[in-house]
Amino acid sequence: MFQIDQTIVSEEVIQKDFVCNLSACKGECCVAGEAGAPLEPNEVAILKAIYPKVKPFLREEGIAAIEAQGTHIETDLEELETPLVNGAECAYVTFTKEGVASCGIEDAYNAGEVDFRKPISCHLYPVRLQEYSKFTAVNYHKWPICDDACSLGKELQVPVYKFTKEALIRKFGEQWYEELEAVADHFRKD
């Protein structure tokens, strides 16, 4: 672990390789699991505001789930998440003709309808954040459904921090990322 500003970063973010391999996993991360995507408090208001523009990009099942549960939910542990369709996939999930999961929010963003790409937790994956009172932990999350992404990342020699560069800059800023790169350059030489 090492510190950059108010973050503690796991060395695995530098050591592990990762490149999403949608042709292999079909976007299973948006479908599998027992919870929706983690949301930051500021994202709750954003989702409420953009929902009318995102709605045309969503499936009927997703719209029904959002209209029944809201644009977000709060868990028993007071965590904020995207709602699920019947306890399964994220309500914002769409599927291509080939059956690959996509994000309706990101579809609306790519179409120029909204300026919010998707929740930061989705954009950062496989990086997961844990907020503490004095710092944020920046960790690599290993999930067996992403084994193909790990293999592809290793084949292409793309470390997690490079794969998630845009999202890390979105979350922490350019200067923070430059410091991460400097640590990574030093770390990978050793």
Side-chain angles (χ1 to χ4, degrees), residues 48-64:
K48 284 181 185 175
I50 67 171
Y51 177 66
K53 291 182 178 181
V54 171
K55 184 177 176 179
F57 294 87
L58 301 178
R59 299 174 306 127
E60 289 181 27
E61 302 92 332
I63 293 168

Side-chain angles (χ1 to χ4, degrees), residues 2-54:
F2 55 91
Q3 183 171 356
I4 301 175
D5 298 331
Q6 299 301 312
T7 64
I8 304 295
V9 183
S10 166
E11 291 174 0
E12 288 184 312
V13 171
I14 293 170
Q15 293 172 324
K16 301 293 184 181
D17 295 318
F18 192 97
V19 172
C20 277
N21 189 345
L22 289 175
S23 63
C25 74
K26 307 286 189 222
E28 185 67 17
C29 60
C30 299
V31 177
E34 300 172 355
L39 296 171
E40 295 191 347
N42 67 312
E43 293 177 325
V44 169
I46 292 169
L47 288 177
K48 284 181 185 175
I50 67 171
Y51 177 66
K53 291 182 178 181
V54 171

Side-chain angles (χ1 to χ4, degrees), residues 22-28 30-31 57-59 61 89 92-104 106-107 110:
L22 289 175
S23 63
C25 74
K26 307 286 189 222
E28 185 67 17
C30 299
V31 177
F57 294 87
L58 301 178
R59 299 174 306 127
E61 302 92 332
E89 75 269 9
Y92 294 98
V93 144
T94 60
F95 292 97
T96 66
K97 289 181 277 187
E98 296 78 28
V100 177
S102 185
C103 175
E106 192 166 29
D107 294 342
N110 290 336

Side-chain angles (χ1 to χ4, degrees), residues 8-168:
I8 304 295
V9 183
S10 166
E11 291 174 0
E12 288 184 312
V13 171
I14 293 170
Q15 293 172 324
K16 301 293 184 181
D17 295 318
F18 192 97
V19 172
C20 277
N21 189 345
L22 289 175
S23 63
C25 74
K26 307 286 189 222
E28 185 67 17
C29 60
C30 299
V31 177
E34 300 172 355
L39 296 171
E40 295 191 347
N42 67 312
E43 293 177 325
V44 169
I46 292 169
L47 288 177
K48 284 181 185 175
I50 67 171
Y51 177 66
K53 291 182 178 181
V54 171
K55 184 177 176 179
F57 294 87
L58 301 178
R59 299 174 306 127
E60 289 181 27
E61 302 92 332
I63 293 168
I66 291 166
E67 293 186 356
Q69 300 170 60
T71 54
H72 76 284
I73 63 157
E74 187 170 332
T75 70
D76 294 340
L77 299 174
E78 298 180 359
E79 294 172 338
L80 303 169
E81 297 176 355
T82 59
L84 299 177
V85 174
N86 299 319
E89 75 269 9
C90 175
Y92 294 98
V93 144
T94 60
F95 292 97
T96 66
K97 289 181 277 187
E98 296 78 28
V100 177
S102 185
C103 175
I105 300 166
E106 192 166 29
D107 294 342
Y109 172 85
N110 290 336
E113 295 295 322
V114 297
D115 61 2
F116 178 72
R117 182 170 181 172
K118 59 181 160 183
I120 193 67
S121 66
C122 302
H123 198 191
L124 281 168
Y125 199 78
V127 170
R128 281 288 189 225
L129 306 179
Q130 178 66 50
E131 299 290 339
Y132 294 95
S133 58
K134 298 189 191 249
F135 67 93
T136 300
V138 181
N139 294 306
Y140 166 71
H141 181 251
K142 174 86 170 112
W143 197 3
I145 66 171
C146 293
D147 286 349
D148 289 313
C150 296
S151 297
L152 183 58
K154 189 170 190 154
E155 178 184 326
L156 299 175
Q157 298 181 345
V158 177
V160 169
Y161 77 95
K162 287 186 178 181
F163 175 74
T164 57
K165 177 180 180 177
E166 184 179 349
L168 288 167

